[in-house]
Amino acid sequence: MAVTTPIPAPSPAARLSPSRRLPAALAVAVTAALVVSRFGAADPTTWLLETVWVMAGLPLIILFRNRFPLSGLLCALLAAHALVLVVGGHYTYAEVPVGDWVRDGLGWERNPYDRFGHLMQGFVPAILVRELLVRTSPLRGSRWLPVLTVCACLAFSAVFEMLEWLAAVTGGEAADAFLGTQGDVWDTQWDMFCALIGAVCALLFLSRLHDRSLTRPGLNKQARA
């Protein structure tokens, strides 16, 4: 009588489809970076204020991963944005070493990491808003899609600046590290302008790639209540 060898059940990691492995790996990487960034943070309060978006957003993405999975492109961009926030929270935006290197190398007067952070604040949310509108509204292919996407990014940037204003009013000098104005009286306007540039660039350079990313099976369904 032939003896059959039982086939071991696949591990949870093996059961993950390729489309799910990337988001899972990115979630692990972002979580690890968030935990590590807390140790030796220049200012614990600033670290919390800068990374709270990561701590709030990551659980939401995980919670809705089956009901409304995100495209691979958007997951990668969100992870990159999270790392920018984590680094800024660890050092404070005005003291990030790579920003100091750029400032010294180009002879600038201020650390530009804050400007880069606000470019990302427009660049990544533009793809997030675009994906939400394409998948949950009749705006796919509409000329209004990029217009409304940029408007949403500017609205988010404005809300963030109002939160900074609130921090300045309530925290006084203690909020200086969080604000990161570096003495620039036009910092708020520059921040919103950088977000605008980031949103426009994302739509110009990533829209076609985003459309291809949205063709993955399971991404064309509407969000379920």
Side-chain angles (χ1 to χ4, degrees):
M1 183 174 61
V3 178
T4 58
T5 302
I7 301 175
S11 65
R15 288 197 297 266
L16 285 176
S17 64
S19 61
R20 289 179 177 269
R21 288 174 192 164
L22 175 62
L26 293 174
V28 171
V30 168
T31 302
L34 179 64
V35 172
V36 171
S37 71
R38 176 60 182 85
F39 295 97
D43 181 22
T45 301
T46 299
W47 175 85
L48 178 62
L49 293 173
E50 298 290 3
T51 61
V52 67
W53 305 98
V54 181
M55 290 184 276
L58 185 58
L60 287 176
I61 294 173
I62 295 174
L63 180 63
F64 289 98
R65 67 187 185 280
N66 292 323
R67 296 169 59 187
F68 197 79
L70 302 179
S71 67
L73 174 63
L74 179 56
C75 287
L77 289 174
L78 288 172
H81 195 190
L83 294 178
V84 170
L85 294 173
V86 164
V87 171
H90 178 79
Y91 291 104
T92 76
Y93 277 81
E95 302 293 337
V96 174
V98 67
D100 288 340
W101 302 337
V102 173
R103 178 198 62 201
D104 297 340
L106 298 178
W108 292 349
E109 295 183 356
R110 58 171 286 152
N111 186 312
Y113 191 81
D114 176 63
R115 301 285 193 243
F116 174 69
H118 283 279
L119 277 170
M120 290 293 286
Q121 191 187 75
F123 193 88
V124 177
I127 301 303
L128 172 60
V129 172
R130 187 178 190 274
E131 182 153 326
L132 292 175
L133 291 177
V134 166
R135 295 173 58 188
T136 64
S137 78
L139 288 172
R140 179 191 289 269
S142 170
R143 295 180 180 179
W144 283 101
L145 177 60
V147 175
L148 294 178
T149 297
V150 171
C151 288
C153 292
L154 280 175
F156 173 74
S157 180
V159 169
F160 187 85
E161 294 304 322
M162 284 189 278
L163 291 176
E164 286 192 344
W165 166 73
L166 180 62
V169 170
T170 58
E173 293 183 0
D176 287 348
F178 172 60
L179 297 177
T181 60
Q182 301 181 64
D184 186 356
V185 297
W186 300 106
D187 186 70
T188 297
Q189 288 77 11
W190 270 110
D191 289 349
M192 294 188 64
F193 179 68
C194 287
L196 171 63
I197 296 300
V200 172
C201 287
L203 295 178
L204 286 176
F205 299 124
L206 295 183
S207 289
R208 291 186 178 180
L209 180 62
H210 188 215
D211 287 338
R212 290 197 295 270
S213 183
L214 289 173
T215 60
R216 178 167 66 84
L219 292 183
N220 292 323
K221 61 185 179 181
Q222 303 286 332
R224 295 194 301 267

